[in-house]
Amino acid sequence: MATKNQSLGEFIIENQSDFQYSSGELSRLINSIRLAAKMVNHEVNKAGLVDITGSAGEINTQGEDQQKLDVFANDTFIRTLTNRQIVCGIASEENDDFITIEGERKDHGNKYVVAMDPLDGSSNIDVNVSVGTIFSIYRRVTPVGTPVQLEDFLQPGNMQVAAGYIIYGTSTMLVYTTGNGVNGFTLNPSLGTYYLSHPNMTFPEDGSIYSVNEGNYVHFPQGVKDYIKYCQQEEGDRPYTSRYIGSLVSDIHRNMIKGGIYMYPKSSKSVDGKLRLLYECNPMAFIAEQAGGLASDGYQRIMDLKPNELHQRVPFFCGSKNMVRKAEEFMSKYPR
């Protein structure tokens, strides 16, 4: 039974039976993520005091300007996961290809792969807006004892064994699921310990917030334009409130607590969408569904999509169940 003020470590031990695979390995994996997140949080909180903000002067594999904190977060999570000898491979937004990790005996003996966005929304760092880390965990599908392969990462989201995010905001929270509901843990910075602060998190079935970059409205598909107009109509419990931070973790986190829908559709500028399926959409979809919400590409369930490349982009609609269904209803009037 989840109880408030329980530490993350205590929670993992008490709920080991909820994880269908090796509980010890999961515990070590989550602990590694927890440790790396504390290190990243420490740097995020120093932004403006030390030379950690701004561009790193490099372009990542997505064609995006890398921020210094992007590089720091990426290096920190990769180093921590590698040193703990828990995973056999890592795929990151910041790396062109996946990283192969050998076991202590050089036998590639670990069973898990991690896909991650080490610092989502990092362009907001300079203006002191919340950012986050997103992670997704799979069991490898190739034989244990062999080098990890691309197919170990190109699994549909319904094969995830765990997923979560860390939000670095007014407080730092780690929110995760292993397929048995969603729980949130808040970092006590004076003790360096995460405590259960948000047990059994759920999306309200209905919401009053829609989150989308309306500056791109002219480029959106007609179904999305129609749904946005629906959200703005004065009828019943509408108009809804428009809230868009531009940091996926922050927008999803707020909407899960308050009720709402997050949308990043395809557009004439981004014909496949902008968000990455493996390490942004799939983990957020897993969390949303475990919290009673839905996640869709506008036409079908996100977690049923079979990835065909590491950095594949897809449209993304995620949030309160009835709001996502209504958006799909508008989308269905216009074939893909």
Side-chain angles (χ1 to χ4, degrees):
M1 175 69 71
T3 56
K4 278 200 169 188
N5 298 321
Q6 191 176 30
S7 74
L8 176 56
E10 291 169 340
F11 180 88
I12 291 172
I13 291 170
E14 187 173 299
N15 293 275
Q16 284 183 148
S17 60
D18 286 347
F19 191 61
Q20 59 179 310
Y21 304 110
S22 168
S23 54
E25 288 174 337
L26 174 69
S27 175
R28 288 165 58 208
L29 228 175
I30 298 296
N31 278 331
S32 294
I33 290 169
R34 171 178 66 175
L35 174 61
K38 284 197 288 188
M39 296 166 68
V40 172
N41 176 69
H42 183 68
E43 291 300 305
V44 168
N45 286 341
K46 291 194 297 185
L49 296 175
V50 297
D51 185 25
I52 194 66
T53 59
S55 173
E58 299 289 339
I59 302 295
N60 69 10
T61 188
Q62 313 300 317
E64 299 165 344
D65 188 22
Q66 275 188 321
Q67 303 294 305
K68 292 174 184 175
L69 270 170
D70 281 324
V71 177
F72 176 84
N74 192 47
D75 291 346
T76 299
F77 275 94
I78 289 172
R79 185 173 64 251
T80 305
L81 288 167
T82 301
N83 289 346
R84 291 294 184 94
Q85 298 289 326
I86 307 164
V87 297
C88 56
I90 300 171
S92 168
E93 179 186 18
E94 302 301 326
N95 295 88
D96 292 345
D97 205 354
F98 61 85
I99 299 166
T100 300
I101 300 170
E102 295 182 339
E104 290 176 350
R105 300 183 305 278
K106 309 299 181 188
D107 61 359
H108 309 274
N110 298 314
K111 304 183 187 75
Y112 299 96
V113 296
V114 173
M116 66 175 182
D117 182 350
L119 202 64
D120 170 73
S122 57
S123 60
N124 285 323
I125 280 284
D126 291 357
V127 291
N128 208 16
V129 171
S130 297
V131 294
T133 296
I134 309 171
F135 62 91
S136 176
I137 301 169
Y138 294 84
R139 279 176 67 88
R140 65 180 301 171
V141 294
T142 56
V144 174
T146 63
V148 68
Q149 302 293 325
L150 180 60
E151 63 191 280
D152 291 311
F153 296 95
L154 299 186
Q155 301 185 56
N158 54 38
M159 298 301 291
Q160 291 174 102
V161 296
Y165 61 80
I166 300 101
I167 182 168
Y168 312 103
T170 49
S171 61
T172 296
M173 278 188 67
L174 189 157
V175 176
Y176 84 101
T177 182
T178 58
N180 291 279
V182 179
N183 292 281
F185 300 80
T186 299
L187 177 66
N188 181 330
S190 62
L191 299 176
T193 303
Y194 289 89
Y195 290 98
L196 181 62
S197 54
H198 294 66
N200 304 313
M201 297 177 74
T202 55
F203 270 99
E205 284 198 358
D206 290 290
S208 59
I209 297 171
Y210 71 99
S211 308
V212 63
N213 184 354
E214 292 184 75
N216 288 328
Y217 178 89
V218 68
H219 301 288
F220 289 154
Q222 190 59 45
V224 177
K225 290 179 179 178
D226 291 349
Y227 178 67
I228 291 174
K229 288 176 184 174
Y230 168 84
C231 292
Q232 295 170 340
Q233 286 174 351
E234 193 163 350
E235 182 180 336
D237 60 347
R238 289 174 284 128
Y240 296 148
T241 301
S242 176
R243 291 284 184 269
Y244 185 71
I245 297 169
S247 171
L248 174 63
V249 168
S250 301
D251 279 311
I252 294 288
H253 184 74
R254 179 202 55 239
N255 289 359
M256 180 158 51
I257 291 172
K258 293 183 175 290
I261 182 173
Y262 174 90
M263 299 179 284
Y264 210 117
K266 69 177 183 179
S267 68
S268 56
K269 295 199 303 182
S270 302
V271 294
D272 297 319
K274 187 178 180 185
L275 298 181
R276 273 60 58 137
L277 175 61
L278 278 184
Y279 41 82
E280 290 177 320
C281 300
N282 271 341
M284 286 305 192
F286 191 17
I287 291 166
E289 289 192 7
Q290 285 296 312
L294 291 177
S296 165
D297 69 352
Y299 296 92
Q300 67 183 106
R301 183 186 183 213
I302 280 289
M303 291 207 297
D304 286 340
L305 300 178
K306 177 70 171 74
N308 51 44
E309 58 183 78
L310 210 55
H311 301 291
Q312 181 176 341
R313 299 173 189 260
V314 293
F316 191 53
F317 299 77
C318 179
S320 295
K321 185 180 299 182
N322 292 340
M323 297 185 82
V324 174
R325 284 179 176 157
K326 179 60 75 171
E328 287 180 321
E329 183 183 311
F330 279 98
M331 295 290 287
S332 68
K333 297 174 184 176
Y334 303 92
R336 290 176 182 266

PDB file of all heavy atoms in Angstrom, residues 44-78:
ATOM      1  N   VAL A  44      21.040  22.224 -12.835  1.00  0.00           N
ATOM      2  CA  VAL A  44      19.924  23.065 -13.271  1.00  0.00           C
ATOM      3  C   VAL A  44      19.710  24.207 -12.284  1.00  0.00           C
ATOM      4  O   VAL A  44      19.471  25.357 -12.667  1.00  0.00           O
ATOM      5  CB  VAL A  44      18.631  22.229 -13.420  1.00  0.00           C
ATOM      6  CG1 VAL A  44      17.402  23.130 -13.572  1.00  0.00           C
ATOM      7  CG2 VAL A  44      18.738  21.297 -14.624  1.00  0.00           C
ATOM      8  N   ASN A  45      19.829  23.910 -11.002  1.00  0.00           N
ATOM      9  CA  ASN A  45      19.602  24.926  -9.975  1.00  0.00           C
ATOM     10  C   ASN A  45      20.709  25.965  -9.904  1.00  0.00           C
ATOM     11  O   ASN A  45      20.550  26.990  -9.241  1.00  0.00           O
ATOM     12  CB  ASN A  45      19.434  24.256  -8.602  1.00  0.00           C
ATOM     13  CG  ASN A  45      18.092  23.567  -8.463  1.00  0.00           C
ATOM     14  OD1 ASN A  45      17.164  23.868  -9.211  1.00  0.00           O
ATOM     15  ND2 ASN A  45      17.980  22.636  -7.530  1.00  0.00           N
ATOM     16  N   LYS A  46      21.829  25.687 -10.575  1.00  0.00           N
ATOM     17  CA  LYS A  46      22.927  26.662 -10.608  1.00  0.00           C
ATOM     18  C   LYS A  46      22.869  27.548 -11.844  1.00  0.00           C
ATOM     19  O   LYS A  46      23.700  28.425 -12.021  1.00  0.00           O
ATOM     20  CB  LYS A  46      24.280  25.948 -10.572  1.00  0.00           C
ATOM     21  CG  LYS A  46      24.583  25.265  -9.249  1.00  0.00           C
ATOM     22  CD  LYS A  46      26.042  24.877  -9.133  1.00  0.00           C
ATOM     23  CE  LYS A  46      26.447  23.869 -10.186  1.00  0.00           C
ATOM     24  NZ  LYS A  46      27.841  23.388 -10.001  1.00  0.00           N
ATOM     25  N   ALA A  47      21.872  27.296 -12.721  1.00  0.00           N
ATOM     26  CA  ALA A  47      21.765  28.072 -13.959  1.00  0.00           C
ATOM     27  C   ALA A  47      21.692  29.567 -13.639  1.00  0.00           C
ATOM     28  O   ALA A  47      20.893  30.002 -12.817  1.00  0.00           O
ATOM     29  CB  ALA A  47      20.530  27.639 -14.744  1.00  0.00           C
ATOM     30  N   GLY A  48      22.535  30.333 -14.289  1.00  0.00           N
ATOM     31  CA  GLY A  48      22.600  31.769 -14.038  1.00  0.00           C
ATOM     32  C   GLY A  48      23.720  32.137 -13.088  1.00  0.00           C
ATOM     33  O   GLY A  48      24.195  33.271 -13.088  1.00  0.00           O
ATOM     34  N   LEU A  49      24.154  31.155 -12.273  1.00  0.00           N
ATOM     35  CA  LEU A  49      25.248  31.420 -11.332  1.00  0.00           C
ATOM     36  C   LEU A  49      26.595  30.985 -11.891  1.00  0.00           C
ATOM     37  O   LEU A  49      27.629  31.552 -11.575  1.00  0.00           O
ATOM     38  CB  LEU A  49      24.988  30.681 -10.002  1.00  0.00           C
ATOM     39  CG  LEU A  49      23.748  31.120  -9.222  1.00  0.00           C
ATOM     40  CD1 LEU A  49      23.566  30.228  -7.998  1.00  0.00           C
ATOM     41  CD2 LEU A  49      23.872  32.577  -8.797  1.00  0.00           C
ATOM     42  N   VAL A  50      26.568  29.957 -12.709  1.00  0.00           N
ATOM     43  CA  VAL A  50      27.798  29.459 -13.325  1.00  0.00           C
ATOM     44  C   VAL A  50      27.564  29.341 -14.832  1.00  0.00           C
ATOM     45  O   VAL A  50      26.441  29.435 -15.315  1.00  0.00           O
ATOM     46  CB  VAL A  50      28.223  28.091 -12.741  1.00  0.00           C
ATOM     47  CG1 VAL A  50      28.547  28.210 -11.278  1.00  0.00           C
ATOM     48  CG2 VAL A  50      27.139  27.043 -12.966  1.00  0.00           C
ATOM     49  N   ASP A  51      28.620  29.110 -15.573  1.00  0.00           N
ATOM     50  CA  ASP A  51      28.530  29.068 -17.035  1.00  0.00           C
ATOM     51  C   ASP A  51      28.011  27.714 -17.506  1.00  0.00           C
ATOM     52  O   ASP A  51      28.745  26.902 -18.059  1.00  0.00           O
ATOM     53  CB  ASP A  51      29.906  29.353 -17.644  1.00  0.00           C
ATOM     54  CG  ASP A  51      29.850  29.439 -19.163  1.00  0.00           C
ATOM     55  OD1 ASP A  51      28.769  29.748 -19.679  1.00  0.00           O
ATOM     56  OD2 ASP A  51      30.884  29.191 -19.810  1.00  0.00           O
ATOM     57  N   ILE A  52      26.705  27.471 -17.233  1.00  0.00           N
ATOM     58  CA  ILE A  52      26.117  26.203 -17.628  1.00  0.00           C
ATOM     59  C   ILE A  52      24.940  26.411 -18.578  1.00  0.00           C
ATOM     60  O   ILE A  52      24.411  25.472 -19.156  1.00  0.00           O
ATOM     61  CB  ILE A  52      25.667  25.394 -16.377  1.00  0.00           C
ATOM     62  CG1 ILE A  52      25.362  23.933 -16.740  1.00  0.00           C
ATOM     63  CG2 ILE A  52      24.465  26.066 -15.709  1.00  0.00           C
ATOM     64  CD1 ILE A  52      26.553  23.148 -17.192  1.00  0.00           C
ATOM     65  N   THR A  53      24.511  27.675 -18.754  1.00  0.00           N
ATOM     66  CA  THR A  53      23.398  27.949 -19.663  1.00  0.00           C
ATOM     67  C   THR A  53      23.919  28.340 -21.035  1.00  0.00           C
ATOM     68  O   THR A  53      25.092  28.608 -21.230  1.00  0.00           O
ATOM     69  CB  THR A  53      22.505  29.077 -19.118  1.00  0.00           C
ATOM     70  OG1 THR A  53      23.292  30.261 -18.962  1.00  0.00           O
ATOM     71  CG2 THR A  53      21.909  28.700 -17.772  1.00  0.00           C
ATOM     72  N   GLY A  54      22.992  28.350 -21.987  1.00  0.00           N
ATOM     73  CA  GLY A  54      23.341  28.771 -23.331  1.00  0.00           C
ATOM     74  C   GLY A  54      23.749  27.625 -24.222  1.00  0.00           C
ATOM     75  O   GLY A  54      23.754  26.456 -23.833  1.00  0.00           O
ATOM     76  N   SER A  55      24.103  27.972 -25.450  1.00  0.00           N
ATOM     77  CA  SER A  55      24.434  26.980 -26.463  1.00  0.00           C
ATOM     78  C   SER A  55      25.801  26.367 -26.224  1.00  0.00           C
ATOM     79  O   SER A  55      26.736  27.033 -25.781  1.00  0.00           O
ATOM     80  CB  SER A  55      24.396  27.630 -27.847  1.00  0.00           C
ATOM     81  OG  SER A  55      24.875  26.746 -28.831  1.00  0.00           O
ATOM     82  N   ALA A  56      25.898  25.065 -26.542  1.00  0.00           N
ATOM     83  CA  ALA A  56      27.188  24.382 -26.453  1.00  0.00           C
ATOM     84  C   ALA A  56      27.971  24.537 -27.753  1.00  0.00           C
ATOM     85  O   ALA A  56      29.097  24.075 -27.862  1.00  0.00           O
ATOM     86  CB  ALA A  56      26.967  22.897 -26.157  1.00  0.00           C
ATOM     87  N   GLY A  57      27.322  25.142 -28.758  1.00  0.00           N
ATOM     88  CA  GLY A  57      27.996  25.363 -30.027  1.00  0.00           C
ATOM     89  C   GLY A  57      27.978  24.171 -30.955  1.00  0.00           C
ATOM     90  O   GLY A  57      28.688  24.130 -31.955  1.00  0.00           O
ATOM     91  N   GLU A  58      27.142  23.163 -30.623  1.00  0.00           N
ATOM     92  CA  GLU A  58      27.038  21.961 -31.457  1.00  0.00           C
ATOM     93  C   GLU A  58      25.582  21.766 -31.863  1.00  0.00           C
ATOM     94  O   GLU A  58      24.664  22.235 -31.205  1.00  0.00           O
ATOM     95  CB  GLU A  58      27.521  20.727 -30.679  1.00  0.00           C
ATOM     96  CG  GLU A  58      28.985  20.791 -30.223  1.00  0.00           C
ATOM     97  CD  GLU A  58      29.962  20.652 -31.373  1.00  0.00           C
ATOM     98  OE1 GLU A  58      29.561  20.112 -32.426  1.00  0.00           O
ATOM     99  OE2 GLU A  58      31.111  21.099 -31.234  1.00  0.00           O
ATOM    100  N   ILE A  59      25.378  21.024 -32.952  1.00  0.00           N
ATOM    101  CA  ILE A  59      24.044  20.652 -33.418  1.00  0.00           C
ATOM    102  C   ILE A  59      23.878  19.161 -33.183  1.00  0.00           C
ATOM    103  O   ILE A  59      24.738  18.359 -33.553  1.00  0.00           O
ATOM    104  CB  ILE A  59      23.867  20.961 -34.925  1.00  0.00           C
ATOM    105  CG1 ILE A  59      24.115  22.448 -35.196  1.00  0.00           C
ATOM    106  CG2 ILE A  59      22.479  20.540 -35.388  1.00  0.00           C
ATOM    107  CD1 ILE A  59      23.130  23.377 -34.548  1.00  0.00           C
ATOM    108  N   ASN A  60      22.765  18.760 -32.521  1.00  0.00           N
ATOM    109  CA  ASN A  60      22.572  17.339 -32.247  1.00  0.00           C
ATOM    110  C   ASN A  60      22.006  16.622 -33.461  1.00  0.00           C
ATOM    111  O   ASN A  60      21.785  17.208 -34.515  1.00  0.00           O
ATOM    112  CB  ASN A  60      21.708  17.122 -30.997  1.00  0.00           C
ATOM    113  CG  ASN A  60      20.251  17.527 -31.192  1.00  0.00           C
ATOM    114  OD1 ASN A  60      19.796  17.818 -32.300  1.00  0.00           O
ATOM    115  ND2 ASN A  60      19.502  17.539 -30.101  1.00  0.00           N
ATOM    116  N   THR A  61      21.768  15.332 -33.305  1.00  0.00           N
ATOM    117  CA  THR A  61      21.315  14.515 -34.427  1.00  0.00           C
ATOM    118  C   THR A  61      19.944  14.924 -34.943  1.00  0.00           C
ATOM    119  O   THR A  61      19.546  14.572 -36.040  1.00  0.00           O
ATOM    120  CB  THR A  61      21.289  13.022 -34.020  1.00  0.00           C
ATOM    121  OG1 THR A  61      21.024  12.227 -35.173  1.00  0.00           O
ATOM    122  CG2 THR A  61      20.219  12.757 -32.963  1.00  0.00           C
ATOM    123  N   GLN A  62      19.199  15.703 -34.138  1.00  0.00           N
ATOM    124  CA  GLN A  62      17.880  16.171 -34.561  1.00  0.00           C
ATOM    125  C   GLN A  62      17.957  17.475 -35.351  1.00  0.00           C
ATOM    126  O   GLN A  62      16.932  18.016 -35.747  1.00  0.00           O
ATOM    127  CB  GLN A  62      16.988  16.395 -33.329  1.00  0.00           C
ATOM    128  CG  GLN A  62      17.004  15.279 -32.315  1.00  0.00           C
ATOM    129  CD  GLN A  62      16.548  13.973 -32.891  1.00  0.00           C
ATOM    130  OE1 GLN A  62      15.577  13.938 -33.626  1.00  0.00           O
ATOM    131  NE2 GLN A  62      17.250  12.900 -32.590  1.00  0.00           N
ATOM    132  N   GLY A  63      19.184  17.995 -35.524  1.00  0.00           N
ATOM    133  CA  GLY A  63      19.328  19.279 -36.180  1.00  0.00           C
ATOM    134  C   GLY A  63      19.034  20.440 -35.257  1.00  0.00           C
ATOM    135  O   GLY A  63      18.788  21.565 -35.692  1.00  0.00           O
ATOM    136  N   GLU A  64      19.056  20.180 -33.946  1.00  0.00           N
ATOM    137  CA  GLU A  64      18.747  21.210 -32.956  1.00  0.00           C
ATOM    138  C   GLU A  64      20.022  21.685 -32.272  1.00  0.00           C
ATOM    139  O   GLU A  64      20.961  20.923 -32.073  1.00  0.00           O
ATOM    140  CB  GLU A  64      17.775  20.647 -31.908  1.00  0.00           C
ATOM    141  CG  GLU A  64      16.449  20.200 -32.494  1.00  0.00           C
ATOM    142  CD  GLU A  64      15.647  19.334 -31.542  1.00  0.00           C
ATOM    143  OE1 GLU A  64      16.231  18.828 -30.567  1.00  0.00           O
ATOM    144  OE2 GLU A  64      14.447  19.146 -31.792  1.00  0.00           O
ATOM    145  N   ASP A  65      20.016  22.950 -31.902  1.00  0.00           N
ATOM    146  CA  ASP A  65      21.155  23.549 -31.225  1.00  0.00           C
ATOM    147  C   ASP A  65      21.292  22.948 -29.829  1.00  0.00           C
ATOM    148  O   ASP A  65      20.380  23.049 -29.010  1.00  0.00           O
ATOM    149  CB  ASP A  65      20.947  25.064 -31.133  1.00  0.00           C
ATOM    150  CG  ASP A  65      22.171  25.797 -30.619  1.00  0.00           C
ATOM    151  OD1 ASP A  65      23.282  25.238 -30.724  1.00  0.00           O
ATOM    152  OD2 ASP A  65      22.009  26.919 -30.107  1.00  0.00           O
ATOM    153  N   GLN A  66      22.418  22.301 -29.551  1.00  0.00           N
ATOM    154  CA  GLN A  66      22.612  21.702 -28.236  1.00  0.00           C
ATOM    155  C   GLN A  66      22.905  22.770 -27.195  1.00  0.00           C
ATOM    156  O   GLN A  66      23.716  23.665 -27.404  1.00  0.00           O
ATOM    157  CB  GLN A  66      23.793  20.717 -28.266  1.00  0.00           C
ATOM    158  CG  GLN A  66      23.438  19.326 -28.741  1.00  0.00           C
ATOM    159  CD  GLN A  66      24.599  18.366 -28.546  1.00  0.00           C
ATOM    160  OE1 GLN A  66      25.751  18.720 -28.747  1.00  0.00           O
ATOM    161  NE2 GLN A  66      24.301  17.152 -28.172  1.00  0.00           N
ATOM    162  N   GLN A  67      22.234  22.658 -26.066  1.00  0.00           N
ATOM    163  CA  GLN A  67      22.517  23.519 -24.931  1.00  0.00           C
ATOM    164  C   GLN A  67      23.576  22.847 -24.053  1.00  0.00           C
ATOM    165  O   GLN A  67      23.729  21.624 -24.064  1.00  0.00           O
ATOM    166  CB  GLN A  67      21.242  23.759 -24.126  1.00  0.00           C
ATOM    167  CG  GLN A  67      20.091  24.354 -24.923  1.00  0.00           C
ATOM    168  CD  GLN A  67      20.383  25.752 -25.411  1.00  0.00           C
ATOM    169  OE1 GLN A  67      20.713  26.637 -24.624  1.00  0.00           O
ATOM    170  NE2 GLN A  67      20.262  25.958 -26.721  1.00  0.00           N
ATOM    171  N   LYS A  68      24.298  23.657 -23.285  1.00  0.00           N
ATOM    172  CA  LYS A  68      25.341  23.090 -22.420  1.00  0.00           C
ATOM    173  C   LYS A  68      24.754  22.069 -21.443  1.00  0.00           C
ATOM    174  O   LYS A  68      25.371  21.039 -21.157  1.00  0.00           O
ATOM    175  CB  LYS A  68      26.041  24.217 -21.662  1.00  0.00           C
ATOM    176  CG  LYS A  68      26.869  25.144 -22.549  1.00  0.00           C
ATOM    177  CD  LYS A  68      27.425  26.317 -21.768  1.00  0.00           C
ATOM    178  CE  LYS A  68      28.154  27.282 -22.694  1.00  0.00           C
ATOM    179  NZ  LYS A  68      28.613  28.496 -21.989  1.00  0.00           N
ATOM    180  N   LEU A  69      23.557  22.368 -20.948  1.00  0.00           N
ATOM    181  CA  LEU A  69      22.933  21.442 -20.007  1.00  0.00           C
ATOM    182  C   LEU A  69      22.460  20.165 -20.691  1.00  0.00           C
ATOM    183  O   LEU A  69      22.369  19.124 -20.052  1.00  0.00           O
ATOM    184  CB  LEU A  69      21.776  22.114 -19.266  1.00  0.00           C
ATOM    185  CG  LEU A  69      22.172  22.820 -17.962  1.00  0.00           C
ATOM    186  CD1 LEU A  69      21.031  23.650 -17.427  1.00  0.00           C
ATOM    187  CD2 LEU A  69      22.641  21.823 -16.923  1.00  0.00           C
ATOM    188  N   ASP A  70      22.137  20.237 -22.001  1.00  0.00           N
ATOM    189  CA  ASP A  70      21.834  19.018 -22.759  1.00  0.00           C
ATOM    190  C   ASP A  70      23.014  18.057 -22.673  1.00  0.00           C
ATOM    191  O   ASP A  70      22.856  16.863 -22.410  1.00  0.00           O
ATOM    192  CB  ASP A  70      21.589  19.338 -24.244  1.00  0.00           C
ATOM    193  CG  ASP A  70      20.218  19.897 -24.528  1.00  0.00           C
ATOM    194  OD1 ASP A  70      19.260  19.456 -23.876  1.00  0.00           O
ATOM    195  OD2 ASP A  70      20.110  20.768 -25.401  1.00  0.00           O
ATOM    196  N   VAL A  71      24.187  18.594 -22.961  1.00  0.00           N
ATOM    197  CA  VAL A  71      25.402  17.781 -22.987  1.00  0.00           C
ATOM    198  C   VAL A  71      25.695  17.226 -21.600  1.00  0.00           C
ATOM    199  O   VAL A  71      25.997  16.045 -21.433  1.00  0.00           O
ATOM    200  CB  VAL A  71      26.598  18.610 -23.502  1.00  0.00           C
ATOM    201  CG1 VAL A  71      27.879  17.792 -23.461  1.00  0.00           C
ATOM    202  CG2 VAL A  71      26.330  19.111 -24.919  1.00  0.00           C
ATOM    203  N   PHE A  72      25.577  18.083 -20.569  1.00  0.00           N
ATOM    204  CA  PHE A  72      25.847  17.640 -19.196  1.00  0.00           C
ATOM    205  C   PHE A  72      24.875  16.538 -18.785  1.00  0.00           C
ATOM    206  O   PHE A  72      25.283  15.499 -18.241  1.00  0.00           O
ATOM    207  CB  PHE A  72      25.730  18.818 -18.225  1.00  0.00           C
ATOM    208  CG  PHE A  72      25.896  18.412 -16.784  1.00  0.00           C
ATOM    209  CD1 PHE A  72      27.157  18.283 -16.220  1.00  0.00           C
ATOM    210  CD2 PHE A  72      24.787  18.119 -15.994  1.00  0.00           C
ATOM    211  CE1 PHE A  72      27.314  17.885 -14.900  1.00  0.00           C
ATOM    212  CE2 PHE A  72      24.931  17.717 -14.674  1.00  0.00           C
ATOM    213  CZ  PHE A  72      26.197  17.605 -14.132  1.00  0.00           C
ATOM    214  N   ALA A  73      23.579  16.743 -19.040  1.00  0.00           N
ATOM    215  CA  ALA A  73      22.570  15.746 -18.647  1.00  0.00           C
ATOM    216  C   ALA A  73      22.794  14.440 -19.382  1.00  0.00           C
ATOM    217  O   ALA A  73      22.722  13.354 -18.786  1.00  0.00           O
ATOM    218  CB  ALA A  73      21.166  16.286 -18.911  1.00  0.00           C
ATOM    219  N   ASN A  74      23.062  14.515 -20.667  1.00  0.00           N
ATOM    220  CA  ASN A  74      23.285  13.306 -21.468  1.00  0.00           C
ATOM    221  C   ASN A  74      24.481  12.527 -20.930  1.00  0.00           C
ATOM    222  O   ASN A  74      24.400  11.311 -20.702  1.00  0.00           O
ATOM    223  CB  ASN A  74      23.516  13.705 -22.926  1.00  0.00           C
ATOM    224  CG  ASN A  74      23.457  12.527 -23.872  1.00  0.00           C
ATOM    225  OD1 ASN A  74      22.559  11.709 -23.809  1.00  0.00           O
ATOM    226  ND2 ASN A  74      24.427  12.428 -24.769  1.00  0.00           N
ATOM    227  N   ASP A  75      25.580  13.221 -20.711  1.00  0.00           N
ATOM    228  CA  ASP A  75      26.790  12.558 -20.198  1.00  0.00           C
ATOM    229  C   ASP A  75      26.545  11.952 -18.820  1.00  0.00           C
ATOM    230  O   ASP A  75      27.023  10.848 -18.515  1.00  0.00           O
ATOM    231  CB  ASP A  75      27.961  13.554 -20.125  1.00  0.00           C
ATOM    232  CG  ASP A  75      28.458  13.975 -21.494  1.00  0.00           C
ATOM    233  OD1 ASP A  75      28.098  13.319 -22.484  1.00  0.00           O
ATOM    234  OD2 ASP A  75      29.215  14.973 -21.578  1.00  0.00           O
ATOM    235  N   THR A  76      25.798  12.668 -17.982  1.00  0.00           N
ATOM    236  CA  THR A  76      25.555  12.205 -16.605  1.00  0.00           C
ATOM    237  C   THR A  76      24.716  10.934 -16.597  1.00  0.00           C
ATOM    238  O   THR A  76      25.052   9.959 -15.903  1.00  0.00           O
ATOM    239  CB  THR A  76      24.851  13.306 -15.786  1.00  0.00           C
ATOM    240  OG1 THR A  76      25.704  14.460 -15.729  1.00  0.00           O
ATOM    241  CG2 THR A  76      24.547  12.821 -14.370  1.00  0.00           C
ATOM    242  N   PHE A  77      23.634  10.898 -17.355  1.00  0.00           N
ATOM    243  CA  PHE A  77      22.787   9.707 -17.370  1.00  0.00           C
ATOM    244  C   PHE A  77      23.513   8.523 -18.007  1.00  0.00           C
ATOM    245  O   PHE A  77      23.432   7.399 -17.500  1.00  0.00           O
ATOM    246  CB  PHE A  77      21.472   9.988 -18.100  1.00  0.00           C
ATOM    247  CG  PHE A  77      20.422  10.610 -17.224  1.00  0.00           C
ATOM    248  CD1 PHE A  77      20.270  11.982 -17.181  1.00  0.00           C
ATOM    249  CD2 PHE A  77      19.617   9.820 -16.411  1.00  0.00           C
ATOM    250  CE1 PHE A  77      19.317  12.572 -16.356  1.00  0.00           C
ATOM    251  CE2 PHE A  77      18.662  10.388 -15.583  1.00  0.00           C
ATOM    252  CZ  PHE A  77      18.513  11.766 -15.555  1.00  0.00           C
ATOM    253  N   ILE A  78      24.232   8.763 -19.096  1.00  0.00           N
ATOM    254  CA  ILE A  78      24.963   7.662 -19.737  1.00  0.00           C
ATOM    255  C   ILE A  78      26.032   7.114 -18.799  1.00  0.00           C
ATOM    256  O   ILE A  78      26.160   5.896 -18.627  1.00  0.00           O
ATOM    257  CB  ILE A  78      25.598   8.141 -21.064  1.00  0.00           C
ATOM    258  CG1 ILE A  78      24.505   8.379 -22.105  1.00  0.00           C
ATOM    259  CG2 ILE A  78      26.604   7.111 -21.587  1.00  0.00           C
ATOM    260  CD1 ILE A  78      24.994   9.021 -23.385  1.00  0.00           C
TER     261      ILE A  78
END
